[in-house]
Amino acid sequence: VTLQTNYPGHDRQYRLRREAGQSGWDTADGIAATLTELAREFDSPHTPKSGDLLEMGCGAGDLSLFLASRGYNVTGVDISPFAIEWAREKTAEAGIQASFHVGDVRDLAAFADASFDLVLDGQCLHCIIGEEDRTAFLRSAYRVLRPGGVLHLRTMCGDPRTPGLQDGFDAETRCQIRGSVAVRYVGYPDVIAHEVEAAGFEIREQRILRTTGEDMLILDAVKGAPQ
Ligand SMILES: C[S@@+](CC[C@H](N)C(=O)[O-])C[C@H]1O[C@@H](n2cnc3c(N)ncnc32)[C@H](O)[C@@H]1O
């Protein structure tokens, strides 16, 4: 089965969410909870404590701005021009340095090989559907990392727990289908870990974070130094 996708459709979602008074992709409370988790995850000995960081699927920039305030040199990329404009506004308001680009995580075309120390999956990989696109995501993350650089994944996994994800979830493809479009992929942790290794990474640490929402796979993987 070839599943239909609509990645640019996220742009409309951001417009609607901003009109509805939301703080970003998530509510203010949701963002605060994610940032608390992220801070804990970044305490891991496997996570570089400084350097050049790229957030894939940064949206309105909430995770990126938090990490920039902790001293990383942050770049964010997202397919939604509306979200990127929103992220730039927030950056200016906060008086923080970070740069945001419109682009596709499947090629990261604007970024040179080996230009980041840390790549954060900004809860974007679970939006990427099908083997070809998911491989493209992971291989572009690998390409832009320096040898020894780290990929930090935060991606939904396992069986859907909330009505928001159960609605339209197809157990066979493990995708949530809206209309005729596959909007989320929620794989089992071992399957996702296998995809990461197939893209060339060495996994350093993985665990499942049980939240009030969906289970999240938190995984750190390294781009090995050239032999
Ligand atoms: C669940 S949102 C998370 C946003 C933000 N990182 C956060 O945690 O608040 C996933 C993001 O991935 C972006 N995205 C989806 N497909 C993409 C693609 N092919 N290229 C770039 N960004 C994409 C969406 O626009 C959306 O901003």
Side-chain angles (χ1 to χ4, degrees):
V1 269
T2 307
L3 292 159
Q4 202 179 315
T5 59
N6 179 14
Y7 304 122
H10 285 91
D11 200 59
R12 181 161 172 274
Q13 286 297 320
Y14 277 104
R15 286 173 197 277
L16 295 174
R17 285 169 194 222
R18 191 162 191 183
E19 274 166 29
Q22 222 163 276
S23 307
W25 182 260
D26 206 344
T27 59
D29 286 351
I31 293 167
T34 301
L35 295 181
T36 303
E37 292 162 11
L38 195 67
R40 210 170 289 144
E41 290 159 29
F42 271 51
D43 281 341
S44 159
H46 301 295
T47 313
K49 298 294 173 270
S50 61
D52 298 319
L53 182 155
L54 176 69
E55 183 185 358
M56 293 172 79
C58 63
D62 298 289
L63 277 50
S64 275
L65 289 181
F66 172 70
L67 294 168
S69 75
R70 290 175 60 120
Y72 294 94
N73 177 28
V74 174
T75 304
V77 62
D78 201 281
I79 201 156
S80 160
F82 186 87
I84 290 298
E85 210 35 63
W86 197 356
R88 287 177 181 151
E89 267 177 45
K90 288 188 187 197
T91 309
E93 273 165 24
I96 292 175
Q97 284 293 323
S99 74
F100 293 98
H101 302 261
V102 176
D104 196 315
V105 291
R106 289 172 297 170
D107 57 26
L108 295 177
F111 306 104
D113 295 358
S115 45
F116 294 98
D117 303 294
L118 180 54
V119 168
L120 168 66
D121 160 30
Q123 318 188 91
C124 177
L125 181 58
H126 56 222
C127 302
I128 305 299
I129 311 295
E131 190 183 345
E132 187 179 334
D133 285 359
R134 293 177 62 80
T135 301
F137 176 110
L138 290 166
R139 292 199 72 89
S140 37
Y142 189 91
R143 180 181 67 74
V144 302
L145 276 168
R146 299 189 174 114
V150 171
L151 170 67
H152 183 84
L153 288 189
R154 310 196 92 242
T155 191
M156 296 191 296
C157 66
D159 292 319
R161 290 176 182 277
T162 68
L165 188 62
Q166 283 161 348
D167 177 30
F169 189 77
D170 170 43
E172 199 174 317
T173 56
R174 303 212 55 82
C175 287
Q176 182 178 39
I177 318 276
R178 286 266 161 83
S180 56
V181 177
V183 293
R184 296 290 177 270
Y185 167 80
V186 187
Y188 288 115
D190 54 333
V191 176
I192 300 170
H194 182 78
E195 291 179 296
V196 171
E197 287 173 338
F201 288 101
E202 294 162 23
I203 296 175
R204 287 287 187 265
E205 189 177 350
Q206 56 179 312
R207 67 190 174 86
I208 293 163
L209 181 69
R210 298 200 191 281
T211 69
T212 52
E214 304 302 333
D215 287 352
M216 301 293 288
L217 174 64
I218 310 297
L219 184 152
D220 281 297
V222 172
K223 174 174 179 168
Q227 301 297 310

